[in-house]
Amino acid sequence: MAGLELLYRSAQAAISCPQDALVCGIHWELIQHGYRCLGAGEQPGPDERKSELLPAGWEANREVYTLRYKSTDDAQELLLKAIVVEDSMILNVMDRASQKVADVTLAVADYINPEHLNDFHKVYKNMEELKTRIASGIISPLGVPTEKARKESQAEKKDPVSPQDYNPLGIPPRHPAGMRAPSWPSPLNPFAVGGQDLDPLGGRSGGMIVDPLRSGFPQPGIDPSAGLPGRLPPGAVPPGARFDPFGPLGAGRAGPDPDHLPPPGYDDMFM
């Protein structure tokens, strides 16, 4: 409450009744919520500047205290009227831009000790309750100033997860920190659809022929247009033509020939 103490001491010469002291406390709560005072009265005066202090003549009318405020981001301008009714004070606040109105009724004796107006350390009481009433009855209905809301949201952001916050049951990220995502090959050219039909031996792409003895191992490409030794002469297959190979490919194949044994009943004429 150091700021309120400085404010109270700066205005103490004008404070002569409990209502003055309460207005001073209400003014400070608005300052704490991102507003600055422009002046007293409903109409603006010459050379007005936003200030945290109470303006000159703020206590001129002790039946209706009238003060104007503007948020630090200039988005809102408030007109405060504190109306004294016997032992109570009715706060009526209007946002001039949106025409929203909020009001709160306070019992002066709940927050001010009238016998200690000259002693700041004893004049106020139940300040936490007063803060809550102002925040819930005025600030929330009218909206928190943008700059103050931004600062509060930044303060509420959590720090990066520390080791003690690690949750072993949590779902790990798709790509652990420090690791790069796998680089996938670019999609095929749409005009290359059917390339496996034109190149079944896999000279340019995946091919259609699966060799059970060499599956999964890269093989040198075979150009059918160059001919197949012992089977097709060079030029028998035009370049780029569809070609369906026949018989086992290649000479000197390692391991057993897939066709080294005839199928069962090969010699059975009735098969």
Side-chain angles (χ1 to χ4, degrees), residues 82-98:
I83 305 168
V84 177
V85 180
E86 297 182 350
D87 296 331
S88 299
M89 180 176 289
I90 301 174
L91 303 181
N92 182 276
V93 184
M94 181 182 69
D95 183 342
R96 287 188 162 179
S98 65

Side-chain angles (χ1 to χ4, degrees), residues 28-258:
W28 180 247
E29 288 306 312
L30 293 176
I31 297 298
Q32 291 294 94
H33 282 89
Y35 293 95
R36 299 295 181 265
C37 191
L38 293 176
E42 296 189 23
Q43 301 301 322
D47 300 327
E48 282 189 341
R49 296 181 181 180
K50 291 185 289 187
S51 174
E52 294 185 1
L53 301 177
L54 283 165
W58 65 272
E59 82 294 359
N61 185 348
R62 287 190 167 90
E63 293 182 356
V64 180
Y65 299 82
T66 304
L67 297 169
R68 287 175 293 105
Y69 296 85
K70 180 173 283 190
S71 59
T72 52
D73 58 4
D74 295 332
Q76 292 176 290
E77 183 173 341
L78 305 183
L79 175 63
L80 165 68
K81 290 189 176 183
I83 305 168
V84 177
V85 180
E86 297 182 350
D87 296 331
S88 299
M89 180 176 289
I90 301 174
L91 303 181
N92 182 276
V93 184
M94 181 182 69
D95 183 342
R96 287 188 162 179
S98 65
Q99 298 296 307
K100 290 183 179 180
V101 177
D103 57 79
V104 175
T105 300
L106 304 174
V108 178
D110 289 346
Y111 309 102
I112 304 297
N113 290 314
E115 65 274 15
H116 296 295
L117 294 180
N118 294 325
D119 187 350
F120 169 79
H121 297 287
K122 297 180 180 180
V123 67
Y124 289 107
K125 58 183 178 180
N126 301 325
M127 287 302 294
E128 291 301 321
E129 179 185 337
L130 178 62
K131 292 179 181 180
T132 301
R133 296 289 304 279
I134 298 300
S136 62
I138 295 177
I139 302 302
S140 294
L142 298 181
V144 179
T146 305
E147 182 176 344
K148 186 174 188 297
R150 176 179 57 81
K151 291 180 179 179
E152 290 179 350
S153 63
Q154 291 177 348
E156 291 174 359
K157 287 182 179 179
K158 294 183 179 179
D159 296 332
V161 178
S162 57
Q164 58 266 27
D165 295 331
Y166 172 71
N167 182 5
L169 300 180
I171 300 176
R174 186 176 297 272
H175 302 299
M179 296 183 63
R180 297 180 58 185
S183 57
W184 300 100
S186 300
L188 292 175
N189 188 319
F191 298 103
V193 174
Q196 286 81 357
D197 292 338
L198 299 177
D199 188 22
L201 300 178
R204 291 175 296 178
S205 58
M208 297 174 60
I209 306 303
V210 178
D211 186 346
L213 300 180
R214 294 174 175 81
S215 178
F217 297 93
Q219 299 295 322
I222 300 176
D223 185 5
S225 64
L228 298 177
R231 290 173 176 81
L232 290 175
V237 180
R242 179 187 176 107
F243 171 66
D244 293 328
F246 49 88
L249 300 177
R253 295 169 61 90
D257 189 332

